[in-house]
Amino acid sequence: RSQELSQARIDYHVALQALQEQGTRMVCTGKMHTDRICRFDYLCYSSEAEEFVFFQSNFSTMLPNLGSRRFQPALLDLSSVEDHNTQYFNFLELPVAALKFMPKPVFVPDATLILNRFNPDNLMHIFHDDLLPAFYTMKQYSDLDGEARLVFMEGWGEGPYFDLYRLLSSKQPLLKEHLKNFGKLMCFTKSYVGLSKMTTWYQYGFVQPQGPKANVLVSGNEIRQGTVENENKGEANDQYVVIFSRSTTRLILNEAEVVMAIVQELQMRVVTVSLEEQSFPSIIQVIRGASILVSMHGAQLITSLFLPRGAVVVELFPFAVNPEHYTPYKTLASLPGMDLHYISWRNTKEENTVTYPDRPWEQGGIIHLEKEDQKKILKSKEVPRHLCCRNPEWLFRIYQDTLVDIPSFIELLKEAMKTKLNLRKVKATSTVHPGRVREAQCQTSVQTTKEAKLSVSWQIPWNLKYLKVREVKYEVWIQEQGENTYMPYILPQQNYTFSENIKPFTTYLVWVRCIFNKNLLGPFADVLTCRT
Ligand code: UDP
């Protein structure tokens, strides 16, 4: 591996001199450690100390210059999971003069992205926490092109899906354990540290029960672009259902019966896939053409991000697990622009569940618990909301196997197929938002001592003349100055004379905005001040 770097495109002596004279330089985005990504020149790593090193010279820059607030709690999150105390990044400081007494540094010539993978054993985590965030972090910084070097610092091995990480760049990603192969001190000529959190949609329940993130900033369009969307293959005459099965835990016990029922009742072909039996790329190819994806709750459902628009996701939940409490895949499917139809099915019949109290705790075993606690868990009909990650009742229930009740499952599926057709129609609508209405103005007149009129008019938004919009409406808000409520009106035309509730010798504040197709809101024009 060290050979790989010795073909450096940089002149060693120039690099060393730059490091010695200028030290490390850092410029970051973000006011908080949770939204920060930093760019470094000559950030170094000591494999002996297992620490990043910032060499200070008179020419170093460190922005933000936080002083010791850099440790409260950290400079930044190294993974995309927000504020997790095992994922913090910081560096040690040394004066450049110390270089004289240190081993000769090895320079990494490639632009490098340094990050932590959060849980590279789990497919959901791989896509949600690592691949999509890394993909868009690389889009954000043009230095991080297809030849960037990725360095994973969480300390895990490659994991079962390392090939997926290889897709991000043409260069082999490095693991923390590889770094010592480059000598005692390595210096990254140019590096970025941290990951964008812009694409994540789910929080795993470390400080509050799991659920969608409070402020989701990504739409299905970005998610789909991140998956290099292919043409949709699902032609009307070749519709098929994919059952994504698990072979070791959380099984569908009557899978053959489920397949038969779908074939008979929906007259559709069924393809079964599992991570144990097919390669990941071949599974993705099948999913790209599927009309319906059926699976037990579990990480394999992240593959719904490869489904064509208009497809249906059917997520099955074992007994005593409330689908509304575990929604990573529902949230994904429901992102605007994902255009997937999501439904959940839940085993409500206790006799159809198979439990595993004797298994190790991390697979849901409970025999290590006090007898009382075991009894309580066995009696409970629904897992109460809980924090991540070791709640024994949750693990017990989520690792059950399930005999799927065919009638209720098929009924749900048929229902979904009906609504799915509606979704197809909605699909074609655009997401272009209106601009501001232009030349908004008001005129007033007093009729009697009690009556007055307020006429408001405006011109269409500038972008409307280039668009075909099914429905254009305008919203007008009128507020009497000093009051804290307003009256909203929706109008189809570009002017209106208000006389109800308009008083003489009163000042009104008026806002106008345009709305396309009922829900695409434009910005308000500057407020009008109108005195009757
Ligand atoms: N997995 C699988 N088959 C199984 C059980 C698990 O392919 O029978 C995969 C699963 O998709 C995930 C990883 O193994 O990528 C870890 O599974 P686990 O049950 O721990 O997590 P979950 O699926 O609940 O997120």
Side-chain angles (χ1 to χ4, degrees):
R1 283 181 197 285
S2 50
Q3 242 172 358
E4 204 178 338
L5 290 189
S6 64
Q7 305 160 355
R9 287 166 279 134
I10 49 165
D11 182 325
Y12 185 84
H13 293 286
V14 172
L16 187 61
Q17 203 175 358
L19 171 60
Q20 283 166 338
E21 283 171 8
Q22 313 200 17
T24 308
R25 279 169 296 170
M26 170 187 100
V27 192
C28 308
T29 62
K31 284 191 181 156
M32 310 268 293
H33 71 280
T34 51
D35 59 10
R36 188 166 292 144
I37 295 175
C38 293
R39 180 193 190 283
F40 289 89
D41 294 315
Y42 298 112
L43 176 66
C44 299
Y45 179 78
S46 159
S47 53
E48 202 171 55
E50 297 197 16
E51 297 268 15
F52 284 95
V53 182
F54 185 106
F55 284 103
Q56 284 192 343
S57 83
N58 294 337
F59 301 100
S60 291
T61 43
M62 199 191 282
L63 200 65
N65 201 322
L66 293 163
S68 54
R69 282 172 297 163
R70 187 157 69 76
F71 311 114
Q72 294 166 1
L75 179 62
L76 54 81
D77 292 337
L78 207 39
S79 87
S80 71
V81 174
E82 183 131 332
D83 198 28
H84 194 291
N85 61 10
T86 65
Q87 307 291 322
Y88 289 152
F89 172 84
N90 244 315
F91 48 72
L92 285 180
E93 291 153 286
L94 278 178
V96 274
L99 275 169
K100 284 201 289 283
F101 309 103
M102 299 181 75
K104 281 260 167 287
V106 171
F107 289 97
V108 179
D110 320 308
T112 303
L113 175 60
I114 299 170
L115 62 106
N116 274 8
R117 297 176 299 166
F118 188 69
N119 181 355
D121 280 347
N122 181 300
L123 212 46
M124 153 65 182
H125 286 284
I126 290 170
F127 277 96
H128 179 268
D129 309 340
D130 310 338
L131 294 176
L132 284 164
F135 180 82
Y136 278 106
T137 305
M138 293 171 75
K139 289 270 171 277
Q140 187 170 351
Y141 300 103
S142 57
D143 299 333
L144 295 174
D145 57 16
E147 270 140 51
R149 179 76 65 177
L150 280 90
V151 178
F152 302 144
M153 291 305 298
E154 76 290 332
W156 295 36
E158 290 190 348
Y161 298 101
F162 203 59
D163 280 346
L164 292 173
Y165 295 96
R166 286 199 180 95
L167 297 174
L168 290 167
S169 124
S170 62
K171 298 236 165 75
Q172 171 79 354
L174 298 177
L175 302 175
K176 185 180 174 187
E177 62 176 356
H178 294 150
L179 298 185
K180 57 178 177 294
N181 302 339
F182 296 103
K184 292 209 166 108
L185 186 64
M186 67 192 296
C187 295
F188 298 93
T189 312
K190 187 193 311 182
S191 62
Y192 292 81
V193 182
L195 278 180
S196 167
K197 298 185 172 77
M198 214 71 93
T199 60
T200 57
W201 63 84
Y202 207 69
Q203 61 84 12
Y204 300 123
F206 296 109
V207 293
Q208 53 172 306
Q210 63 172 274
K213 284 206 328 189
N215 188 9
V216 175
L217 302 172
V218 67
S219 90
N221 291 316
E222 294 75 37
I223 302 275
R224 286 178 176 284
Q225 302 221 1
T227 64
V228 198
E229 187 174 20
N230 284 352
E231 76 291 352
N232 291 355
K233 290 182 195 143
E235 293 301 321
N237 55 1
D238 184 33
Q239 298 217 332
Y240 60 91
V241 180
V242 173
I243 298 191
F244 207 138
S245 71
R246 298 169 58 109
S247 334
T248 56
T249 59
R250 207 177 301 149
L251 308 180
I252 300 171
L253 292 169
N254 55 337
E255 210 173 271
E257 207 185 344
V258 172
V259 171
M260 291 287 284
I262 295 172
V263 171
Q264 280 171 6
E265 300 286 333
L266 301 181
Q267 268 97 52
M268 283 170 87
R269 194 154 65 85
V270 179
V271 183
T272 307
V273 297
S274 84
L275 292 168
E276 288 88 355
E277 266 143 62
Q278 280 98 353
S279 73
F280 191 71
S282 70
I283 292 176
I284 295 313
Q285 207 175 354
V286 172
I287 293 201
R288 281 192 196 279
S291 301
I292 305 179
L293 173 62
V294 179
S295 178
M296 264 295 156
H297 173 79
Q300 66 288 342
L301 265 170
I302 194 65
T303 54
S304 51
L305 55 82
F306 296 96
L307 282 169
R309 291 172 198 272
V312 181
V313 179
V314 186
E315 182 171 14
L316 313 177
F317 287 84
F319 181 74
V321 179
N322 185 338
E324 289 306 311
H325 296 176
Y326 311 96
T327 56
Y329 314 110
K330 180 185 181 179
T331 306
L332 168 63
S334 312
L335 290 176
M338 265 325 272
D339 296 332
L340 295 174
H341 186 67
Y342 173 91
I343 46 173
S344 61
W345 175 92
R346 173 182 187 175
N347 177 18
T348 53
K349 298 184 171 170
E350 192 157 10
E351 67 272 20
N352 284 352
T353 199
V354 176
T355 61
Y356 293 96
D358 303 336
R359 284 188 176 166
W361 71 267
E362 69 276 12
Q363 282 170 45
I366 52 170
I367 48 169
H368 64 286
L369 300 176
E370 301 280 343
K371 274 275 172 307
E372 269 315 293
D373 296 334
Q374 294 186 35
K375 253 199 227 150
K376 229 172 101 187
I377 289 175
L378 291 168
K379 247 179 58 193
S380 162
K381 303 286 178 234
E382 181 172 314
V383 181
R385 288 222 192 238
H386 57 89
L387 295 181
C388 189
C389 312
R390 296 187 167 203
N391 181 291
E393 182 172 350
W394 154 248
L395 291 170
F396 176 67
R397 289 306 184 183
I398 200 57
Y399 280 110
Q400 295 169 118
D401 296 342
T402 305
L403 204 75
V404 173
D405 176 64
I406 301 294
S408 70
F409 172 74
I410 290 293
E411 192 188 343
L412 192 84
L413 218 55
K414 284 185 170 169
E415 213 39 54
M417 294 301 286
K418 279 188 221 154
T419 46
K420 187 194 146 193
L421 295 177
N422 298 336
L423 191 116
R424 280 257 158 107
K425 282 181 214 150
V426 181
K427 216 177 83 180
T429 61
S430 111
T431 55
V432 176
H433 292 84
R436 286 148 62 103
V437 302
R438 293 180 305 155
E439 295 169 46
Q441 47 190 292
C442 57
Q443 281 176 338
T444 59
S445 61
V446 173
Q447 309 297 115
T448 69
T449 51
K450 288 208 174 116
E451 288 169 66
K453 284 188 174 167
L454 169 61
S455 300
V456 187
S457 66
W458 56 88
Q459 298 299 317
I460 63 167
W462 174 81
N463 62 348
L464 179 53
K465 63 175 184 271
Y466 298 102
L467 300 171
K468 267 191 192 149
V469 182
R470 188 157 32 84
E471 184 196 272
V472 180
K473 291 230 164 117
Y474 297 93
E475 186 168 20
V476 179
W477 290 5
I478 302 179
Q479 179 183 46
E480 189 178 323
Q481 194 167 46
E483 298 293 315
N484 51 22
T485 60
Y486 60 85
M487 295 173 295
Y489 301 88
I490 300 277
L491 304 166
Q493 71 275 32
Q494 286 154 246
N495 55 66
Y496 194 75
T497 300
F498 299 90
S499 51
E500 258 175 62
N501 300 317
I502 302 294
K503 296 183 277 189
F505 314 114
T506 307
T507 301
Y508 291 95
L509 303 178
V510 179
W511 287 266
V512 186
R513 69 175 164 190
C514 182
I515 303 175
F516 291 167
N517 303 332
K518 298 218 167 20
N519 54 20
L520 287 172
L521 305 178
F524 282 111
D526 289 341
V527 61
L528 300 172
T529 306
C530 316
R531 171 124 188 117
T532 54

